[in-house]
C-alpha cells in the first residue's frame, strides 16, 4: 500500500484545551517564553541547506534584519536557558545562535535553532513549532511510556522541543546498514520489532524512516542500537491501524527485510511480548500521571469522526474486545488499547 493511500492528505492542528493547558502547567510544561513561532516568520531572506553530498535537505537557512536579529538572538538564548538550565541570564554571554533553519516540508513547519557554547564549541539544537494538541499528547506519552525522557515547553501557540540526537533512519538505512555485521543487523531487527510494537500500542503514527533516528551506543567491544521517534504529529489521528505500524511504510522495507532475514518467528513473538510487558510496567509506575493525561484526551477532539469509527473497528477485529466498539474519541481508543495490554500482562503475571 502506498503512503499516499495510507496517510490522510493533510492533518489539521488541534488547539490545546483548557484541561490540557492545566495539565501542562501542573507538570511544568507550560511556562512563559520570550519568543513566539510567529516572531521567527519575520525573516527577510533564506538560502537552501544542503547535506555533505550536496543534496537538498528541504531546510532553508533564514536571515533577519539587523534590528530583528539582535532581539531574536537574545530571545532564543533565553529559551535555551529555560529549556536546559535554570532560566537565568548567567549563561547567555557564553551562548551564540549559529543558525536558524526553517522547514517547509510536513505539517509542523518547524524552525531549527543551532545553539553553540562559545567556550568549548559544543552545540545543540532546539525546535520551535506551532502548538498542536495531538503533538503534545505524543510528546508526553513518549516521555512516560517509552524508554526515553523528553524535554519540551508550551506557551500559548508556541511549542519548544529539545533535539533528539541520532542518525536519521533513512540515512542510516542507506549509508550505515550495509556495513553492519550480522550480529548488529540482528540487533537492529530486534529493536525494529520492539519499536513497531511500541508505536502501535500507543497509537503513534507515520513512523517513516525520516521520522525516527537510530542511536548507536558503544558497549565494551560492540555497538548497541536503539530506535527513537522524533516526530509526534500523528499521535492518535489516523483511522487506519497500519499507519501506527512502521512495518507498513515502504521507507522501512529494508528494516522489515532484516526482521525476516535475522529473526525467527518465535523471537519476533518474544520481543513483542517483552515490549508489551515493558509498557505495562511503565504505565503502572507512572499510572497517576498517565491516567490523568488520558482522561483529558478522552474528552478532547484530536481526530475526525470517520477516523475514530474506522480505527475502533479495526482494533476490534484484532482484539474482539467490545470495549473498542463503544469508544467515541481517540482518547477512549488509546485508553482501551492500554487497558487491554495491561490486562494481558496481569493475566500472565498475577503476582507482578
Amino acid at each position: 500500500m502506498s503512503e499516499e493511500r495510507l496517510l490522510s492528505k493533510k492533518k489539521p492542528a488541534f488547539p490545546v484545551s483548557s484541561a490540557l493547558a492545566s495539565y501542562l502547567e501542573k507538570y511544568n510544561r507550560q511556562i512563559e517564553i520570550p519568543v513566539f513561532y510567529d516572531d521567527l516568520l519575520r525573516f527577510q531572506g533564506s538560502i537552501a541547506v544542503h547535506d555533505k553530498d550536496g543534496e537538498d535537505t528541504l531546510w532553508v537557512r533564514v536571515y533577519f534584519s539587523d534590528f530583528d536579529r539582535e532581539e531574536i538572538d537574545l530571545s532564543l538564548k533565553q529559551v535555551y536557558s529555560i529549556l536546559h538550565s535554570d532560566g537565568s541570564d548567567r549563561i547567555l554571554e557564553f551562548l551564540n545562535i549559529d543558525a536558524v533553519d526553517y522547514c517547509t516540508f510536513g505539517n509542523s513547519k518547524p524552525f531549527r535553532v543551532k545553539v553553540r557554547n562559545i567556550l568549548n564549541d559544543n552545540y545543540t539544537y532546539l525546535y520551535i513549532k506551532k502548538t498542536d494538541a495531538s503533538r503534545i499528547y505524543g510528546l508526553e506519552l513518549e516521555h512516560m511510556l517509552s524508554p526515553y525522557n523528553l524535554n519540551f515547553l508550551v506557551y500559548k501557540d508556541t511549542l519548544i522541543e529539545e533535539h533528539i540526537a541520532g542518525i536519521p533512519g533513512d540515512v542510516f538505512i542507506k549509508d550505515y546498514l550495509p556495513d553492519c555485521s550480522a550480529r548488529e543487523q540482528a540487533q537492529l531487527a530486534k529493536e525494529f520489532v520492539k519499536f513497531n510494537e511500541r508505536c502501535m500500542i500507543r497509537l503513534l503514527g507515520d513512523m517513516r524512516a525520516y521520522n525516527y533516528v537510530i542511536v548507536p551506543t558503544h558497549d565494551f567491544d560492540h555497538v548497541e542500537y536503539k530506535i527513537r521517534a522524533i516526530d509526534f504529529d500523528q499521535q492518535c489521528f489516523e483511522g487506519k491501524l497500519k499507519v501506527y505500524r512502521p512495518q507498513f511504510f515502504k521507507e522501512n522495507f529494508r528494516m522489515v527485510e532484516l526482521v525476516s532475514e535475522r529473526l525467527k518467528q518465535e523471537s519476533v513473538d518474544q520481543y513483542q511480548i517483552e515490549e508489551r510487558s515493558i509498557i505495562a510496567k511503565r504505565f503502572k509506575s507512572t499510572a497517576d500521571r498517565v491516567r490523568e493525561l488520558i482522561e483529558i484526551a478522552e474528552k478532547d477532539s484530536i481526530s475526525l469522526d470517520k477516523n475514530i469509527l474506522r480505527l475502533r473497528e479495526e482494533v476490534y477485529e484484532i482484539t474482539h474486545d467490545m470495549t473498542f466498539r463503544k469508544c467515541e474519541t481517540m482518547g477512549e481508543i488509546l485508553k482501551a488499547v492500554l487497558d487491554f495490554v495491561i490486562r494481558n500482562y496481569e493475566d500472565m503475571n498475577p503476582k507482578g
Side-chain angles (χ1 to χ4, degrees), residues 12 33 44 98 110 201 219 229 256 325:
I33 54 177
Q44 300 295 302
D98 279 7
I201 290 171
D219 184 20
V256 176
R325 285 193 161 168

Side-chain angles (χ1 to χ4, degrees), residues 60-255:
V60 295
R61 185 145 300 164
V62 301
Y63 299 95
F64 301 89
S65 68
D66 291 341
F67 175 79
D68 283 335
R69 181 74 198 207
E70 185 175 346
E71 176 188 349
I72 286 173
D73 274 15
L74 176 60
S75 296
L76 292 175
K77 291 176 187 178
Q78 290 171 332
V79 167
Y80 175 90
S81 178
I82 295 169
L83 188 66
H84 290 290
S85 187
D86 59 1
S88 71
D89 292 345
R90 288 178 296 177
I91 65 171
L92 301 189
E93 63 179 306
F94 306 121
L95 302 177
N96 190 69
I97 305 301
D98 279 7
V100 179
D101 298 332
Y102 178 59
C103 183
T104 58
F105 178 73
N107 284 318
S108 59
K109 293 183 170 55
F111 284 94
R112 178 179 64 194
V113 181
K114 183 178 180 181
V115 185
R116 178 171 56 90
N117 185 312
I118 62 176
L119 297 179
N120 52 35
D121 272 348
N122 284 333
Y123 64 87
T124 189
Y125 296 94
L126 57 88
Y127 295 84
I128 300 179
K129 303 177 180 181
K130 277 283 192 182
T131 302
D132 177 6
S134 57
R135 189 179 303 129
I136 291 170
Y137 285 117
L139 288 163
E140 270 292 283
L141 289 168
E142 179 77 2
H143 178 74
M144 292 184 285
L145 296 182
S146 84
Y148 314 106
N149 293 330
L150 273 181
N151 196 9
F152 68 92
L153 298 171
V154 179
Y155 184 54
K156 295 185 178 179
D157 65 348
T158 299
L159 171 65
I160 311 291
E161 294 180 25
E162 69 176 351
H163 177 63
I164 298 174
I167 304 169
D170 54 339
V171 174
F172 186 92
I173 292 168
K174 176 176 175 287
D175 296 337
Y176 295 86
L177 185 56
D179 295 326
C180 288
S181 66
R183 182 207 167 275
E184 290 171 336
Q185 290 185 5
Q187 203 256 326
L188 280 161
K190 166 190 172 182
E191 290 302 316
F192 187 77
V193 169
K194 293 168 78 71
F195 179 66
N196 191 76
E197 195 71 10
R198 188 158 67 243
C199 291
M200 181 178 66
I201 290 171
R202 46 158 298 187
L203 300 185
L204 176 62
D206 192 18
M207 282 299 107
R208 287 173 282 184
Y210 48 77
N211 286 334
Y212 59 82
V213 293
I214 310 292
V215 184
T217 302
H218 291 267
D219 184 20
F220 293 103
D221 59 348
H222 65 280
V223 179
E224 292 287 328
Y225 295 97
K226 299 293 182 183
I227 302 178
R228 291 192 64 177
I230 59 172
D231 191 310
F232 303 94
D233 293 352
Q234 289 282 350
Q235 176 68 51
C236 293
F237 174 72
E238 292 284 352
K240 308 178 188 74
L241 184 59
K242 286 184 176 180
V243 172
Y244 303 107
R245 304 177 73 181
Q247 70 187 79
F248 287 106
F249 288 99
K250 70 176 189 292
E251 292 88 349
N252 296 327
F253 179 69
R254 183 65 191 113
M255 300 298 285

